[in-house]
Structures are given as C-alpha cells and as structure tokens.
C-alpha cells in the first residue's frame, strides 16, 4: 500500500450507508442538485437515481446533463429533469427560480453544490478583480438567491438544504486561495446565521466541510495528485447518510486538530503555504501553470 493510500485510509475512513433507511427517506421525493454535471454532484446524482425520486439537475453543460438523464432514466427508477444554465447569470437564474415554482412546487431536498475554485497569488491578481466577483457570484450569491427563493417551498415540504463547504472555511486561511476561500466562507457564515430561523420553521440544514476531494476541480494543481484526498463515492455516501440522519454538519474527524495547529503553528503553516505559492509562481512544478482556475 502506498503512503498516500495509507494516509487516505486513516484520514478518510470508509463511510457506511444504510440503503434501507435512505430508501425510506427518499421515497417519492424531489431533489434539486446544483453542480450536477461533474465531480461530487455527478456521483451523488447517479447514487440517488437508484431510488424512486424526481431529480432536478442543474449545471451549465447541457450535453452532459442530457447524457446523464438518458443513462439514469434508462434504469427505469428515477425521473430526471435538467436545467442547463450559468447560475451567475441573473436572467437565467430568475428563469430557473420561476420554473421551479411553477413546475416543481414540491422540492424536498436541495443540494447546493455548484462551485468554482481559483488558486492565484495576490500579486498575480492585481488586474484581476473579476476573479473575486465571479467566485462570489457562484459560491456566495447564487446559493443565497436559490435558498431565499426556495425557503417557503422547503417550509411547506419540511425540506432539507445541504451545501458543500470546505474545511478551509473553518481553518486559518492560506495564501493563494483568497477568492475561493473568501467566497466559500461568506456562504458558510450566511448559512449558519440563517440556520436557527430555518430549523425553527421545520427546514433541515446540513453543512459539509469537505477536505480535498479527487474531482476535476483539483486537477489543475499538480501537487494535489500526490496528496491524500477523498473520493466522490465517499462524499456521496456522506450526503446520503446526512439525508436520513438529519445531522447539521459533517467534517472529517481531524478538522479540530488541523484548525488548532493552523493557529498555534501559524508561522510554519504560512511558510509552507507561501512556499507552494512561490513554487507555482516560478513555474518550478513541471507542467503546472503559474496560476490556475479550478472547475
Ligand atoms: N474537490 C474538492 O476538493 C472540494 C473540497 C471542498 C469543497 N468542494 C466543493 O464541492 C463542490 C463541488 O465541487 P467538485 O469538486 O465536484 O467540482 P467540479 O467537478 O468542478 O464540479 C463543479 C460543478 O459546478 C458546476 N458549476 C460551476 N460553475 C457553475 C456556474 N457558473 N453555473 C452553474 N453550474 C456551475 C459545474 O458544472 P458546469 O461546468 O457544467 O457548469 C460542475 O457540475 C464545490 O462547491 C466545491 O467548492 C470541493
């Protein structure tokens, strides 16, 4: 077993999923998943399509969504509806929300998962204000707009809103990821502020603080290919568990220790992160480009 594999088995132990409990919980439910065309969203969509549910899949790539719909419906268990749009586009977002209210007024579960990640040094961002507006647009404003619009419906159905956050939202921020971390942390804080009011009205809420997950999002950072990461199957199972256990948050067992050490050993932590940014800027990492968008 390689050291990476060994680390993965310690850091990300297997996640058990009680398929009977999940099936009971999902019976006849309507589930909206954003970011369904790739990575975590794609894996989750396929897992949930094994149950008699109505899946509403959202992402930009229409061809990919239609292909998924064909494959899933061919199994004859789930009904699938797709909406292909850029969630940052105001008009298209308003169109989606109108369609959700007129055509699917019984959404029970929302998995807000669409996201975009950018790794770029602040010194390579001086003329790139748009990196900050576009990450806020998809990682913060889009889920805020979606949830605000769906709150009355979720209250009526006793629904569940789940979102895919990151461990970085709960740790000391690292250089190179200002746009991504700030936008993910913004939604995390917004959601945790809204949560008690939503829960009081019967809407269930779950925040997933995910570590590195092996998806197309992390591919542009060559160094990540050697680092321990979760699989999309593991994350889909965790989301499945959260659906029937109704837990309010999930985080890896080691997050508290990582958070503590990121503050206590701040000097070392920043030094290591700065070295990575410097290496990337100097293009010392082989094929890696000086700065990259993820996803
Ligand atoms: N991978 C990780 O290490 C990691 C760790 C922590 C948290 N997360 C979070 O997990 C979520 C899923 O990430 P992933 O790793 O599965 O990434 P991914 O494979 O890149 O998938 C991102 C999804 O978001 C959709 N999307 C991106 N921009 C969009 C836009 N403007 N409008 C509509 N859809 C858009 C993409 O579809 P289209 O391109 O078709 O639009 C795709 O389906 C993200 O919110 C991410 O922040 C990931």
């Amino acid at each position: 077993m390689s050291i990476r594999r060994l680390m993965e088995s310690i850091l990300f132990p297997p996640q058990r999923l009680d398929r009977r409990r999940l099936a009971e919980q999902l019976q006849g439910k309507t589930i909206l998943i954003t970011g369904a065309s790739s990575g975590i969203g794609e894996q989750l969509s396929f897992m949930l399509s094994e149950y008699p549910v109505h899946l509403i899949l959202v992402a930009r790539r229409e061809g990919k969504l239609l292909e998924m719909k064909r494959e899933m419906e061919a199994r004859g268990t789930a009904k699938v509806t797709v909406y292909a749009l850029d969630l940052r586009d105001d008009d298209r977002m308003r169109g989606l929300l109108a369609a959700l209210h007129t055509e699917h007024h019984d959404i029970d579960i929302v998995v807000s998962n669409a996201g975009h990640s950018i790794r770029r040094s602040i010194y390579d961002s001086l003329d790139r204000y748009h990196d900050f507006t576009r990450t806020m647009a998809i990682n913060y404003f889009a889920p805020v707009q979606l949830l605000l619009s769906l709150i009355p419906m979720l209250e009526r159905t006793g629904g569940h809103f789940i979102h895919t956050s990151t461990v970085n939202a709960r740790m000391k921020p690292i250089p190179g990821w200002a746009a991504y971390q700030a936008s993910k942390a913004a939604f995390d804080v917004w959601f945790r502020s809204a949560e008690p009011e939503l829960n009081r009205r019967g809407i269930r809420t779950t925040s997933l603080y995910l570590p590195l997950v092996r998806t197309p999002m992390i591919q542009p950072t060559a160094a990540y290919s050697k680092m321990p990461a979760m699989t999309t199957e593991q994350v889909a199972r965790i989301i499945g568990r959260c659906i029937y256990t109704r837990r309010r948050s999930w985080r890896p067992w080691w997050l508290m220790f990582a958070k503590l050490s990121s503050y206590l050993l701040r000097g070392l932590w920043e030094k290591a992160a700065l070295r990575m940014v410097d290496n990337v800027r100097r293009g010392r990492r082989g094929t890696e480009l000086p700065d990259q968008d993820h996803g």
Side-chain angles (χ1 to χ4, degrees), residues 34-41 58-61 85-88 112-117 138-139 164-167 180 184 210-218 232 294-295:
T34 70
S37 63
S38 167
I40 295 165
V58 180
R60 285 169 300 185
R61 280 169 284 173
L85 72 144
D86 187 333
L87 289 165
R88 296 170 303 185
S112 174
N113 166 74
H116 185 77
S117 140
I138 186 64
N139 296 335
T164 46
S165 188
T166 161
V167 288
Y180 179 64
K184 294 296 276 188
L210 298 173
L212 206 58
V213 185
R214 219 164 288 294
T215 71
M217 184 177 268
I218 70 164
T232 55
H294 294 236

Side-chain angles (χ1 to χ4, degrees), residues 272-288:
L274 276 172
R275 193 173 311 134
M276 190 168 164
V277 172
D278 290 346
N279 285 344
V280 171
R281 289 197 83 215
R282 290 184 204 125
R284 272 209 246 124
R285 285 199 185 275
T287 56
E288 205 168 48

